[in-house]
Amino acid sequence: MNPLPWIVLFLPLVVAAVCQLVLRKSALVPWLTTASAVATLAMSVILLDTTGTASFDWATLGDFHLQIGIHLDKLSTGMMVVVTGVGALVHVFSLAYMKEDDAKTRYFTGLAFFMFSMTGIVLASNFVMTFIFWELVGFSSYLLIGHWYQKQSAADAAKKAFLCNRVGDFGFMIGILMLWGITGSLSFSDMRVPADVSIATLSAAVLCIFCGAVGKSAQLPLHVWLPDAMEGPTPVSALIHAATMVAAGVYMLFRVQMSLGFENFHDLQASAIIAWTGGITALVAALMATQQDDIKRVLAYSTLSQLGYMVMAVGFVAGEAGMFHLFTHAWFKALLFLGAGAVIHACHHEQDIWKMGGLLKKMPVTSLCFAAGCLALIAVPGTSGFFSKELILDAVHKAGSPLFWVAAFVALLTPFYMTRVFIVAFLGKHRSESASHAREVGPLMWVPLALLAILAFFSGYAFINRVSPALPEHAG
């Protein structure tokens, strides 16, 4: 394997170390971390359709070797473009959004470290490496959510996110040990389920693995940390809620399914539990979204609902559909959060939609971009969200499960709460002084929004072949 994947992995770590240890008070830090994010995106695009595995021994205990390894296939290289793409746009947006922040050096260093942590999960070739970077993602998200730690609510939200994830991670660790005992390997490519292993034993192991996804992807009952994570800067919300931290659980579940073999999941009791957990989470979160007045909290509960869709797809052994929705959702949810950030910035940090109004005239570019994200999330035909959500609904319908009606009802709730947000915040008359003084944001903010608006419509066509060759057939 060429050295490019290793550079993609370790470049953000090197940049974060230099910023923290050498350039702590330098104005170059934001630009250096942004340049590294753009560079990793460029290298990730180059690595598309590259396959291969490489590893080195990290620790040796007798005949047992713990390895750090990289595995490249269609799934990981496609996911890398999503992670680095969203990360790069969040960095650019943050240059303007965090310009006046006194601790922007610490903020951008945290972003770089987060990118390193998430990249490690995506490229990991084995469970040891996955678990190491899984914990690093939890730590770096703690730093970012609690960036404004002087606010008690932000400090509490960071601790809540960290502790909730530790609960899920304990089960995740047990599941890794169980699968190691069952398959005799920690490498994703070498796992084989022996014929004499009972369905109950494999189900127990998969459910423990699922505990990690419940924490990271904020499924019931560990969903409580995600709405509170809105206390962090809005670009952090976009990064956590788009393609990175919350998507890690879905990505990991699908990787495990691929490693153990999809045929082993059809009869597992764990599959039904995973599917129902995702379905109920999608419904409860959508109902909660209809009751929110904070623009960021509406989007947070919307993220919970869409993650429920993805987890439900994995439970029905239709992980290709779930991953396809993850790919498309990343772009338009990042668009919505960054659009909300632009609105909050222009309205002098006002987040209540009932104190906005009339922003379409004041901020036409931001408003149109936000509208594009809404259309994709609602799944209007022709948008990327339509193709990916349709695949999930089709898979659930073919399974003959009553969860189809739950998923269909959630699909009806989504247009309700997103249309409500757009009408209240962007149409009508100004409802406050902050809204009346709003002005369109500068190019460092609206250019990432415009690019994400384009991807909200066309990413479905670009990524439809990334996860599985069967996807075009399902998509009709």
Side-chain angles (χ1 to χ4, degrees):
M1 184 184 292
N2 66 56
L4 202 57
W6 295 105
I7 297 174
V8 172
L9 175 60
F10 287 108
L11 178 60
L13 176 63
V14 172
V15 170
V18 170
C19 292
Q20 180 64 26
L21 301 177
V22 181
L23 303 174
R24 294 187 65 175
K25 298 182 180 180
S26 174
L28 293 175
V29 169
W31 298 97
L32 180 60
T33 57
T34 302
S36 72
V38 173
T40 55
L41 171 60
M43 289 183 282
S44 297
V45 172
I46 294 173
L47 288 172
L48 273 174
D49 296 320
T50 302
T51 59
T53 302
S55 62
F56 63 87
D57 288 345
W58 177 55
T60 301
L61 300 171
D63 294 332
F64 178 65
H65 302 276
L66 294 176
Q67 293 186 324
I68 297 296
I70 285 178
H71 179 69
L72 299 180
D73 58 9
K74 288 180 66 177
L75 178 62
S76 61
T77 55
M79 186 70 175
M80 274 302 302
V81 171
V82 175
V83 170
T84 56
V86 172
L89 292 174
V90 166
H91 274 77
V92 173
F93 187 91
S94 297
L95 289 174
Y97 191 88
M98 302 296 289
K99 182 179 180 181
E100 304 300 328
D101 193 281
D102 293 335
K104 58 177 175 288
T105 297
R106 173 163 53 84
Y107 170 82
F108 279 94
T109 301
L111 282 186
F113 189 69
F114 186 94
M115 293 296 293
F116 163 69
S117 305
M118 190 62 208
T119 300
I121 291 179
V122 175
L123 296 178
S125 65
N126 58 74
F127 263 126
V128 172
M129 181 173 170
T130 297
F131 190 76
I132 292 171
F133 283 91
W134 194 269
E135 297 304 306
L136 290 177
V137 164
F139 173 69
S140 53
S141 64
Y142 166 80
L143 297 177
L144 291 172
I145 294 170
H147 175 71
W148 291 321
Y149 62 87
Q150 299 90 342
K151 290 172 53 181
Q152 188 61 44
S153 57
D156 291 342
K159 289 184 286 187
K160 189 174 186 178
F162 188 82
L163 293 174
C164 285
N165 276 273
R166 298 296 73 71
V167 173
D169 293 352
F170 184 73
F172 185 36
M173 180 175 62
I174 295 174
I176 291 174
L177 295 175
M178 290 183 68
L179 283 182
W180 182 27
I182 292 171
T183 64
S185 175
L186 290 168
S187 174
F188 294 130
S189 60
D190 295 333
M191 285 186 173
R192 300 292 184 271
V193 179
D196 58 346
V197 173
S198 68
I199 292 178
T201 301
L202 188 58
S203 284
V206 171
L207 282 178
C208 288
I209 292 291
F210 179 55
C211 287
V214 169
K216 278 288 186 292
S217 294
Q219 301 296 288
L220 288 171
L222 297 180
H223 67 290
V224 293
W225 70 267
L226 195 56
D228 288 349
M230 297 301 98
E231 293 293 335
T234 303
V236 170
S237 303
L239 194 62
I240 291 176
H241 287 71
T244 51
M245 181 175 173
V246 295
V250 179
Y251 176 83
M252 182 271 297
L253 282 177
F254 187 56
R255 176 65 75 189
V256 171
Q257 274 195 349
M258 292 177 64
S259 300
L260 297 180
F262 294 105
E263 67 280 358
N264 291 318
F265 278 81
H266 283 287
D267 299 324
L268 292 183
Q269 301 93 327
S271 295
I273 295 174
I274 292 171
W276 277 95
T277 300
I280 294 173
T281 300
L283 176 61
V284 171
L287 291 172
M288 289 178 176
T290 63
Q291 304 300 310
Q292 303 301 312
D293 296 328
D294 185 313
I295 189 170
K296 288 176 67 176
R297 281 186 170 267
V298 174
L299 298 178
Y301 283 112
S302 168
T303 298
L304 285 174
S305 184
Q306 300 307 306
L307 287 168
Y309 264 115
M310 300 173 205
V311 171
M312 183 169 53
V314 174
F316 282 107
V317 199
E320 304 97 337
M323 285 301 302
F324 184 35
H325 193 49
L326 187 157
F327 285 168
T328 58
H329 175 265
W331 303 109
F332 58 74
K333 186 53 63 71
L335 167 61
L336 289 170
F337 268 107
L338 293 182
V343 168
I344 293 168
H345 182 80
C347 293
H348 307 287
H349 300 286
E350 180 58 65
Q351 297 184 196
D352 189 340
I353 59 174
W354 295 104
K355 295 181 181 178
M356 297 177 185
L359 296 179
L360 180 60
K361 295 179 180 179
K362 295 283 187 177
M363 308 174 67
V365 176
T366 299
S367 301
L368 292 175
C369 291
F370 194 92
C374 289
L375 293 176
L377 179 58
I378 290 170
V380 170
T383 62
S384 61
F386 170 77
F387 294 108
S388 55
K389 193 177 290 187
E390 185 270 340
L391 283 175
I392 295 176
L393 291 171
D394 181 59
V396 179
H397 182 264
K398 287 180 178 178
S401 171
L403 272 177
F404 171 76
W405 301 108
V406 174
F409 182 58
V410 172
L412 292 176
L413 287 175
T414 307
F416 172 76
Y417 62 73
M418 289 309 301
T419 303
R420 170 178 173 265
V421 167
F422 189 82
I423 290 175
V424 173
F426 293 92
L427 304 182
K429 297 181 180 180
H430 311 305
R431 298 185 181 88
S432 68
E433 283 294 318
S434 58
S436 65
H437 292 105
R439 295 291 182 270
E440 185 62 83
V441 294
L444 283 176
M445 288 190 181
W446 68 255
V447 168
L449 294 180
L451 292 174
L452 287 168
I454 295 172
L455 289 167
F457 278 88
F458 300 111
S459 62
Y461 302 97
F463 282 89
I464 199 168
N465 291 314
R466 291 307 311 167
V467 181
S468 169
L471 281 179
E473 177 186 346
H474 288 311

